[in-house]
Amino acid sequence: AQSVTQPDIHITVSEGASLELRCNYSYGATPYLFWYVQSPGQGLQLLLKYFSGDTLVQGIKGFEAEFKRSQSSFNLRKPSVHWSDAAEYFCAVGVRNQGGKLIFGQGTELSVKP
Amino acid sequence: GAVVSQHPSWVICKSGTSVKIECRSLDFQATTMFWYRQFPKQSLMLMATSNEGSKATYEQGVEKDKFLINHASLTLSTLTVTSAHPEDSSFYICSVTQGASNQPQHFGDGTRLSIL
């Protein structure tokens, strides 16, 4: 069955420290992968996406993610976290032939310590 | 700029009333729109897929008579919560897409619905 797992419900990092948010997927074919960020009371904003090609993708706000087929992972990274990065982060996989339907992970809440 | 406009952003109403939420695609003609419900501290739960000019496809467990979806044009979909009750209180989010699985969804800012 298709699924997305974000093992960490809540992560706290210090401002300026590096960040890695984990995402594992289960999908029968090459996946289309997305990372979204949600600030409290807001909709979701697309950070980056992977379809094919270079397995390291760059996104907005200094984020990047690496697709590792052997590990079924698509972890999100940022070298230096800012206080404004505190938010909920969702990993998602696009379901083929279903009009753009997404399967979301449970989300990871990021807190940033000053 | 915003790709999706969702309105209203917050609504409070009495139990038994019906509430309509609009979702507009601003940048492109959206053949497909999605409606989600989100509970506090939880992920998004897909309620239905809305296709222009056809009936919406509801996810299992979602009452189609309770949550009426209309996608009358390529830029507008509406979700009407009929005879709303306190248990319908939630955060509702729409998204738009050009319909291909390798295209991202663009999300509205959500509607906070509170039923008294």
Side-chain angles (χ1 to χ4, degrees):
Chain A
Q2 304 152 351
S3 66
V4 177
T5 301
Q6 293 179 245
D8 305 304
I9 296 173
H10 189 195
I11 283 183
T12 300
V13 299
S14 298
E15 190 168 17
S18 63
L19 170 70
E20 182 169 33
L21 302 182
R22 296 184 291 165
C23 173
N24 294 99
Y25 67 89
S26 174
Y27 194 75
T30 300
Y32 300 136
L33 295 162
F34 306 85
W35 273 101
Y36 287 88
V37 61
Q38 183 182 32
S39 297
Q42 304 268 317
L44 277 68
Q45 181 182 23
L46 178 68
L47 286 175
L48 47 77
K49 57 185 184 286
Y50 170 79
F51 298 150
S52 64
D54 193 346
T55 56
L56 184 64
V57 293
Q58 303 296 321
I60 62 171
K61 303 185 180 188
F63 285 93
E64 67 178 25
E66 186 170 12
F67 170 60
K68 293 185 177 181
R69 184 188 302 275
S70 62
Q71 297 177 20
S72 298
S73 69
F74 187 56
N75 294 348
L76 182 72
R77 301 194 294 248
K78 186 170 184 177
S80 177
V81 168
H82 189 262
W83 64 266
S84 60
D85 294 324
E88 189 84 18
Y89 291 81
F90 292 98
C91 180
V93 63
V95 182
R96 291 173 188 270
N97 302 318
Q98 290 198 30
K101 184 176 180 178
L102 293 175
I103 297 173
F104 283 93
Q106 302 91 320
T108 297
E109 183 181 4
L110 173 65
S111 297
V112 180
K113 291 190 300 185
Chain B
V3 177
V4 182
S5 172
Q6 186 173 341
H7 180 81
S9 57
W10 198 0
V11 58
I12 303 173
C13 60
K14 293 182 179 178
S15 183
T17 58
S18 294
V19 179
K20 180 184 285 188
I21 302 170
E22 291 188 349
C23 181
R24 293 184 182 273
S25 178
L26 302 178
D27 273 12
F28 55 81
Q29 293 183 325
T31 56
T32 305
M33 295 187 181
F34 297 92
W35 287 96
Y36 296 88
R37 184 172 180 176
Q38 187 178 31
F39 293 100
K41 300 291 186 181
Q42 294 193 23
S43 187
L44 283 72
M45 181 189 80
L46 180 64
M47 299 174 66
T49 303
S50 171
N51 296 298
E52 187 268 337
S54 64
K55 290 184 179 180
T57 302
Y58 289 82
E59 296 297 303
Q60 191 173 6
V62 177
E63 297 177 62
K64 57 183 68 175
D65 295 331
K66 160 69 80 173
F67 300 101
L68 299 179
I69 291 172
N70 183 279
H71 194 155
S73 77
L74 285 169
T75 59
L76 175 63
S77 176
T78 60
L79 167 67
T80 301
V81 184
T82 62
S83 186
H85 288 93
E87 59 266 27
D88 299 322
S89 298
S90 193
F91 192 58
Y92 293 87
I93 308 175
C94 73
S95 71
V96 307
T97 178
Q98 290 171 297
S101 51
N102 63 351
Q103 293 293 320
Q105 291 184 21
H106 301 276
F107 289 82
D109 283 338
T111 297
R112 173 75 56 196
L113 175 62
S114 296
I115 310 297
L116 304 178

